[in-house]
Amino acid sequence: EPEVTQTPSHQVTQMGQEVILRCVPISNHLYFYWYRQILGQKVEFLVSFYNNEISEKSEIFDDQFSVERPDGSNFTLKIRSTKLEDSAMYFCASSVREHTGELFFGEGSRLTVL
Amino acid sequence: KNEVEQSPQNLTAQEGEFITINCSYSVGISALHWLQQHPGGGIVSLFMLSSGKKKHGRLIATINIQEKHSSLHITASHPRDSAVYICAAPNFGNEKLTFGTGTRLTIIP
């Protein structure tokens, strides 16, 4: 069964460092998303991406964050200068359709900022 | 912004019991998602529904659009159903999902 894959599964970084989280969505999906979950808190929407551009973003997704689809298969989330509060589980998801499309999630990338 | 409330926050039940988890939201939606988060953290989509009822195995999801309310039912619950169940609703007309805080379900053998 097709699945969304994420790498790395866990990354530890020093505050101020750049981090890139990678996702390979399901191949025929057109809509891509990043969510995050701080430990013990609820899942939060970060950004949605369609047709090579951001379609929605939350107030969390500030200038420190960026997304791109560099090669037509990978979908990356970059955090330019990590802060302690960026420590969280980051989930990538993809869907065939917007609004009414079932979401397929990756297993998540746990980011720990020291 | 859609406000999504779930109840109960925690639920412990004996194996075999019928389980109901509730979700209410504040803004009209195109579709509501029910998700399962495993103890290891991974998230799996269970249902995405915009009206009526859907069934998959022992899981049933219902939604009442007029009342802005959805329920997830588990029949003949089993310890492997132990997980956090999350509902998520979009703001109408966009893709930004608002997630509930989740219901932690524990099924005791």
Side-chain angles (χ1 to χ4, degrees):
Chain A
E1 183 175 320
E3 59 181 16
V4 176
T5 57
Q6 287 186 242
T7 54
S9 56
H10 188 193
Q11 181 158 355
V12 181
T13 190
Q14 294 290 325
M15 191 169 58
Q17 294 297 304
E18 176 183 283
V19 161
I20 297 176
L21 305 178
R22 291 182 168 80
C23 170
V24 180
I26 294 172
S27 60
N28 64 331
H29 286 188
L30 301 175
Y31 299 86
F32 314 113
Y33 311 87
W34 283 101
Y35 300 93
R36 81 169 186 192
Q37 186 177 34
I38 295 171
L39 187 64
Q41 298 187 21
K42 59 184 178 181
V43 179
E44 301 172 288
F45 169 83
L46 287 178
V47 66
S48 58
F49 191 87
Y50 169 71
N51 200 26
N52 281 321
E53 60 183 23
I54 290 173
S55 47
E56 296 281 344
K57 61 181 181 178
S58 73
E59 56 276 8
I60 301 167
F61 195 89
D62 61 21
D63 291 344
Q64 294 284 45
F65 291 89
S66 63
V67 289
E68 64 175 1
R69 198 151 186 255
D71 57 10
S73 60
N74 290 286
F75 177 50
T76 62
L77 174 69
K78 182 192 291 187
I79 309 174
R80 287 192 185 80
S81 178
T82 50
K83 304 188 278 283
L84 295 176
E85 54 265 37
D86 294 327
S87 295
M89 182 77 96
Y90 289 81
F91 292 100
C92 173
S94 67
S95 66
V96 173
R97 296 185 302 277
E98 68 173 344
H99 302 317
T100 58
E102 181 183 359
L103 288 170
F104 291 79
F105 286 83
E107 286 294 308
S109 293
R110 182 169 297 285
L111 176 64
T112 302
V113 182
L114 302 177
Chain B
K1 180 185 172 179
N2 219 334
E3 302 293 332
V4 178
E5 300 286 339
Q6 280 187 245
S7 63
Q9 284 193 302
N10 293 283
L11 178 57
T12 300
Q14 293 288 329
E15 182 173 356
E17 285 190 42
F18 181 80
I19 302 300
T20 296
I21 298 170
N22 295 299
C23 176
S24 60
Y25 52 93
S26 59
V27 175
I29 58 172
S30 52
L32 181 131
H33 299 259
W34 279 104
L35 310 167
Q36 180 191 55
Q37 187 165 31
H38 301 303
I43 297 175
V44 174
S45 176
L46 297 176
F47 295 103
M48 193 275 303
L49 70 167
S50 52
S51 65
K53 177 170 138 176
K54 284 191 176 180
K55 185 175 189 291
H56 185 244
R58 294 179 295 105
L59 300 178
I60 303 165
T62 63
I63 190 167
N64 185 318
I65 296 293
Q66 287 74 31
E67 295 187 5
K68 299 186 178 64
H69 180 269
S70 177
S71 293
L72 176 69
H73 306 285
I74 306 175
T75 62
S77 58
H78 189 277
R80 65 175 174 267
D81 297 326
S82 298
V84 176
Y85 292 84
I86 302 168
C87 68
N91 296 324
F92 191 82
N94 69 42
E95 302 174 75
K96 181 183 170 183
L97 283 181
T98 299
F99 292 75
T101 52
T103 296
R104 183 174 299 278
L105 174 66
T106 304
I107 303 297
I108 300 170

